[in-house]
Amino acid sequence: MYEKKIKEVILDIQSGKLDTEHAVQALKDLPFQDLGYANIDHHREIRTGYPEVIYCEGKSTEHIVGIVKAMLEKDVNILATRVSEEVYEATKDLHDDIIYNKQARILIFRKEAFKVSEHKVLIATGGTSDIAVAEEAALTAEVLGTQVVRLYDVGVAGIHRLLSRREILDDCSVIIAVAGMEGALASVIGGLVDVPVIAVPTSVGYGSHFNGLASLLAMLNSCASGISVVNIDNGFGAGYNASSIIRQIERG
Amino acid sequence: MYEKKIKEVILDIQSGKLDTEHAVQALKDLPFQDLGYANIDHHREIRTGYPEVIYCEGKSTEHIVGIVKAMLEKDVNILATRVSEEVYEATKDLHDDIIYNKQARILIFRKEAFKVSEHKVLIATGGTSDIAVAEEAALTAEVLGTQVVRLYDVGVAGIHRLLSRREILDDCSVIIAVAGMEGALASVIGGLVDVPVIAVPTSVGYGSHFNGLASLLAMLNSCASGISVVNIDNGFGAGYNASSIIRQIERG
Amino acid sequence: MYEKKIKEVILDIQSGKLDTEHAVQALKDLPFQDLGYANIDHHREIRTGYPEVIYCEGKSTEHIVGIVKAMLEKDVNILATRVSEEVYEATKDLHDDIIYNKQARILIFRKEAFKVSEHKVLIATGGTSDIAVAEEAALTAEVLGTQVVRLYDVGVAGIHRLLSRREILDDCSVIIAVAGMEGALASVIGGLVDVPVIAVPTSVGYGSHFNGLASLLAMLNSCASGISVVNIDNGFGAGYNASSIIRQIERG
Amino acid sequence: MYEKKIKEVILDIQSGKLDTEHAVQALKDLPFQDLGYANIDHHREIRTGYPEVIYCEGKSTEHIVGIVKAMLEKDVNILATRVSEEVYEATKDLHDDIIYNKQARILIFRKEAFKVSEHKVLIATGGTSDIAVAEEAALTAEVLGTQVVRLYDVGVAGIHRLLSRREILDDCSVIIAVAGMEGALASVIGGLVDVPVIAVPTSVGYGSHFNGLASLLAMLNSCASGISVVNIDNGFGAGYNASSIIRQIERG
Amino acid sequence: MYEKKIKEVILDIQSGKLDTEHAVQALKDLPFQDLGYANIDHHREIRTGYPEVIYCEGKSTEHIVGIVKAMLEKDVNILATRVSEEVYEATKDLHDDIIYNKQARILIFRKEAFKVSEHKVLIATGGTSDIAVAEEAALTAEVLGTQVVRLYDVGVAGIHRLLSRREILDDCSVIIAVAGMEGALASVIGGLVDVPVIAVPTSVGYGSHFNGLASLLAMLNSCASGISVVNIDNGFGAGYNASSIIRQIERG
Amino acid sequence: MYEKKIKEVILDIQSGKLDTEHAVQALKDLPFQDLGYANIDHHREIRTGYPEVIYCEGKSTEHIVGIVKAMLEKDVNILATRVSEEVYEATKDLHDDIIYNKQARILIFRKEAFKVSEHKVLIATGGTSDIAVAEEAALTAEVLGTQVVRLYDVGVAGIHRLLSRREILDDCSVIIAVAGMEGALASVIGGLVDVPVIAVPTSVGYGSHFNGLASLLAMLNSCASGISVVNIDNGFGAGYNASSIIRQIERG
Amino acid sequence: MYEKKIKEVILDIQSGKLDTEHAVQALKDLPFQDLGYANIDHHREIRTGYPEVIYCEGKSTEHIVGIVKAMLEKDVNILATRVSEEVYEATKDLHDDIIYNKQARILIFRKEAFKVSEHKVLIATGGTSDIAVAEEAALTAEVLGTQVVRLYDVGVAGIHRLLSRREILDDCSVIIAVAGMEGALASVIGGLVDVPVIAVPTSVGYGSHFNGLASLLAMLNSCASGISVVNIDNGFGAGYNASSIIRQIERG
Amino acid sequence: MYEKKIKEVILDIQSGKLDTEHAVQALKDLPFQDLGYANIDHHREIRTGYPEVIYCEGKSTEHIVGIVKAMLEKDVNILATRVSEEVYEATKDLHDDIIYNKQARILIFRKEAFKVSEHKVLIATGGTSDIAVAEEAALTAEVLGTQVVRLYDVGVAGIHRLLSRREILDDCSVIIAVAGMEGALASVIGGLVDVPVIAVPTSVGYGSHFNGLASLLAMLNSCASGISVVNIDNGFGAGYNASSIIRQIERG
């Protein structure tokens, strides 16, 4: 179905039925590839500026391999998240350039070298245990061409660790604050800077932390203005969101 | 029943059946006054060092008046919390020395002037909206003979307001941190000082704050050590708890 | 305390102890005005680029009036949210230029005409009942100098209402999606555009909506990438967050 | 006890005490077979039109084998759900015609070939990870004689994948919408069609998804009319419900 | 914008660019009327077979009046739910044929007499307190042309009240079970019949009922197959859903 | 329908079709009176030994009056719970012997004087605020012929108040423990006695008490054996349950 | 410490300081055996009529063995619940008469043959999956000398399975209703009988069952009177509670 | 960065720019050691009086080893909590004096013998299963120089076990009450003593205990005054908090 639709659009352009502007619009909406168990959205890159991302949790290894193969054939960039080592083992021989980061559980295939944005995203964590989530954010942002600065283990229990790095905070365009426990890092950073802050609650905690609920609620209720929040442990979402802001900035 | 039991103890002491030590113990456990709807614990002051406190929420005005009358007759100190103006109106003529604080909803009757401890409790709030709860804590502590220092509206969204008062933090023996929203004040203070910190979550917030749940969970999950927590909006509990610590300090 | 600190900084600058760079830093951190019940953060505008905002819920009318007076004396812009009509009545005579929007419950005092950003924020709502929250976002953004486009009642139950306005979606730099019920608007918009999307769950719904919880969870779990979320009914936070992104874009 | 009751009914029919209509009614209510640990409802097929279904979660393998054996002896159709591979291993040799679908965890024994309804049920999923639940629905419906059309991975993050298949949506009598994450698929479909939509929330998601709660609440709060919801991951329930609707349609 | 689009479609039909089939499709998707605060979906009736319904909770009286006026001008049927008496007072003079049911809080305007379906929906309630919700369902169904049978106060605490009416249960094509408390009515009915059952949990209960949560969870977890559930107190949704099933049946 | 069925049973008895035993059984199951909005279960007294109870919350005053009238006509005992003063005003003139207890919100009509059981139920409360719920339990039990002993305000914060009354605890056959806050009263009593303990959590508390949830969970998780629990504030249920135990005891 | 206290009481009796009545009382309160990690309550049998029960979940095997040994030495009956097979292996050689039931996870040591009460407890389950919990209840009751009747798999989805056994329901003094899913069994039984009903919610279910929460809430909110509830899966508690009722009955 | 800052302070002291008092303050705030993945707060001991504690849950073994090594090099005391045996194996060879307690999952390195406070902390548990958490508290307190008294398995189901040890309760300055199930131990102790009580809810329980939630809520809602609460299973926090109180007492 996919190629037929592309052809129709092309014919319409050739016949003059579609002018340039509408042709782009038409291409934005249509195409995807039907694998039966998945509809891969190859033209997502045209529509939203980013390639489709494969979220691997809950998908069978067989399905993931099928999706990766289909994308490799179309020669698009690949970003897969929540990739278990088992899945990596099953995909690593599909192409020499597949890269896997175990801590962040991210798998990357890049057609060409990443571009690097001029504007920076700072990724800060409250503690050492939050680093896995922070790296998911960092790698996601880097794949999307965003320059990343890391500032780890600067939680509020020793607030001088953060305050002594004010110059780093002031030198970036977006901040991602990753924290478990009481998640106060986002509020403190939000009160110090005038750039957008994306808060990522993590599931680091125990007991009444309820697997991240405590951090999530704290961040949603921050007394500092200008903070928005993504799902618990959603490093990918924060990295993606930050990159879309950076891209708007670089577009001007 | 109450006076009979006291008499028995006295007889036992007179007869030598009870030595001094056991007589104190016996008096500690026994006495209360049965009003039918309430068993007033007059000797609580002997047992725990503090008079019984009347928690007025959910009690009928009629019952509260009866309890206050019974306590006035025994000539003990009275501390009543969550006192509505209606209840105050119904009790204010029972004795000239009854005092009412509307913001903290506290009613006090004191037989003699409060003593004032040498050691201080600092009560800090995140915002202006937390002051009612903070005042419940402050007045409770003061009734119990504790010296209180107030430091209001120093929340983490403008953390320099707190950091610029470090000398006040360092000059007290216990700190009560009262905060709604994300409740981060307790964590930041906990990381700066080496005294016990009692955190009071307040119901100040909306939406996913769930009437104080967000602050409560944040405080229970603080990454700063040495913090303990009382119920949402429980200024009384924090003031009482702080006073019991101060008393242990002054006892040495 | 406030003026004394400013003086110290000035003296340090005069004496050469502080060079320009450090003087700015010092001024960023210090100053606030202590009213006893509030520490007004006048220099917040220097530090974060925005004036302090007065969140009125839970504050006594008396305290709010005091804060507004203090700010008027300093001649700074004022933005107050969750302003009841009672509070407005108590403040409206303090200055001729005080403006009140009843639907959005926002009170504004502006020293000078707002600037208007070149880049636009689109604010979309799922239904008519979400408009009050959307207007809180819109007015907040406008006070902060951001150009706003409104697109109301375009929820997913009649998705052609949204799809037929694709050109409006494509013409803005940030989108705020305001929705109650199942909150699906954010996901659908997030799949159509390549700009940052800020989702605002509203409390519009009943039964198992649990006062906004259903919308909140849906938005946090969006299958569309690039979405971040603020608290339930937090139009202010979304407007502020969007404005901080716009500002970064205009700075370039 | 079971056979005795059947006999009594038969005697009553023979004696004329029961006319045809009441005899059917009597048979509808009575019979079941008591295994001690289970009361198998053999005549459920008469009463509700469907054979009894074995829900295997939490039952011991030994009990399940006993139930299957008893049903095979009565020569009725068997549909077992949530069947682990271990249970399948223990039952597969009981009869040659036992079929097992590992993905849907369903075990089937059919006395005769399925009939196939003229009217169709469309089963759509938001993503690839939802397919296991969708297949539980599909196989259940097919066992019950319903014609099924599958449309997988058409979630709202790429809504053109759904919109481009409008003709499939319009060609069926009932739609089952299976989705995890924010579960918006049900709302979007509900707004496009005029047939009953059964929404199945899945546990696909993480963090604040709370194992399906987010999808469940979203679907219950859909702004589209005409949607009803079954339990999280309850593919069986949706397939059964859809089939009972199809049957009413075919009955006319 | 609305009329312009209609014109375009018409021109396309006239010019032969659109054949009949595609013209219907085009009209299905496009038209709505933009009031600024609402986009009324007049052609929803073509697309889904039902007129747009006005959900009044949270909408201002002014907005509702505006929407009703716009719909009266277009001469379409009107169904408004959750209509307060205040709103009714404001709308009742707009047209002589506006009808209001106070118990069900429903407002109706019908262009012509309702048709009445041959197949019936049975609406049963557990108790007397559930009747308001049941009437919302009943009136919704009747407006949509569905024949309704009522069976109220037949809850499981006195199960003979239900069992003695088996003939009524067996005589309908869809059953709506409305119940608060433990919501067991749906399960008991589901075990007795072979037609689709739509369960409506109500907020009738107290304490650990949590405003309908107990009934909702019970119904979602019914051990009877073939039950689907709508939101707490959502009589409208159940009536609408039942009517869409009835319509499929009557279409055959 | 009601009288017809009674007649049928009688005819069957007369004709010898029903022997005594089966006639009782038949009468146990059949009869109720259909008011349209309510099916009054007049013979419930035969079936369960108690008259039907009217739970008034959520019922319209009109419906309640109708039910009371119908019951008065049948000359049965009446017990109505959650009766507002407004409802009492509307019913009090229906019969001279109607009694209303405002604190317990209970309305009673008794055909003859209550019998009083030999065995006693002790009803204990943690505090004075729990008395309204305790009285609902006490009056319910007394209406059902049970002897009640009251022991109020003996909560665990002053445990000597309870321990000094051991002889009262030991002199009863069932204990109802009514408590809000942390609900520990049930556990302490459960550890002291060997009779069944029915725990009633109350909504007395604030903040993280969540309207009774804290007490409910505590009581369900009691470390003392032999405790069972009813719904939050469900004094009626506890009184009823205790009475059914007492009745079994008196039957021997 | 334990023997010393016993001696003191004995001396007091010998000296006439304690009369018979007070001696019993004294023995009721005092004695326990301190193992350091456990205080075994050997005289609990005197005080509450039942031996102390060992709840094994969360205790180390080493501790459990120590407790069992200490109890064997005192020659008291032993009832241990939630006993893993590992724990059984470690204790089975301590005495020949130790019995273990794997399904109910119960370990029993009995000094003498159980007595069997004349009055019966009926234990009914909704499904086959609930039997493990039911057996915990049954064995607990039997150890405590109670006669038990089992009636399994009679859930409300096939209500005739229950109704056809009315004579069993009517022949017992207490009923324990064990059910997962929507837990409706308790309500239906409660409406049929006039004896106390103890409801045991089980964790049998999935998705929105939330590990037993759905059943628990349903049972707490039963519309049938006279039902009380124990913790999720707490077969032990129900068996114990039922036995304490039976004992009161047999005492008369 | 760390050493450079220390040098600056020293230079300032040498030059007289910093007097003694301010030098201490400066040293309090500055120093930490940046390992990239962790910022070790070596001077925390100066600032808060206690060494930094390593919370090991969620940290990789590699990171923990790195942190321990860095701390050993600085020759500070080490306290690590939630230490798995795997982590212990990886660190035990780093220094001969590393001690590991498996039950409490605590790892300790001490430069010198612990001091022992004159004032005592009593640690009481409700049951044997709570001992692991209690030991985490006890060892933490002991490492921090606090004298600990243990009183285990004295829960309220056998309250005489607690009451018979009144003299132990009266002989300490702070009490830590550790309890799962309904957590009533804290309330009973709180009513008996006049010292601060720190309550530790544990996750010991099942079903509606919700992994500690029941105990947590009970303790937060205690009717006894003077109780504060830490997170579920947070033995460390309680031990730390108690020690900070003891230290204030010993300072006088």
Side-chain angles (χ1 to χ4, degrees), chain G residues 73-192:
Chain G
E73 277 162 24
K74 294 289 169 188
D75 197 33
V76 293
N77 285 324
I78 299 177
L79 172 58
T81 64
R82 311 272 159 149
V83 181
S84 66
E85 290 188 72
E86 181 203 326
V87 165
Y88 169 57
E89 290 301 320
T91 53
K92 69 178 175 186
D93 296 332
L94 296 178
H95 199 289
D96 283 355
D97 294 347
I98 285 178
I99 295 170
Y100 180 62
N101 182 304
K102 184 178 160 183
Q103 185 180 28
R105 291 193 295 156
I106 273 185
L107 183 151
I108 297 166
F109 169 76
R110 34 183 183 181
K111 291 180 304 180
E112 56 208 64
F114 297 157
K115 61 172 187 169
V116 178
S117 68
E118 189 185 348
H119 293 81
K120 295 171 204 154
V121 170
L122 175 71
I123 303 183
T125 74
T128 301
S129 307
D130 303 313
I131 293 180
V133 174
E135 281 299 309
E136 193 186 81
L139 289 172
T140 297
E142 287 173 350
V143 167
L144 299 172
T146 305
Q147 192 184 154
V148 171
V149 179
R150 288 159 173 87
L151 182 59
Y152 291 164
D153 194 25
V154 293
V156 300
I159 204 165
H160 58 294
R161 297 179 299 187
L162 181 69
L163 297 176
S164 68
R165 268 81 161 246
R166 277 297 296 274
E167 71 285 0
I168 302 182
L169 297 181
D170 290 341
D171 188 40
C172 66
S173 301
V174 179
I175 299 180
I176 296 174
V178 182
M181 306 296 213
E182 86 283 62
L185 183 66
S187 291
V188 172
I189 289 179
L192 294 172

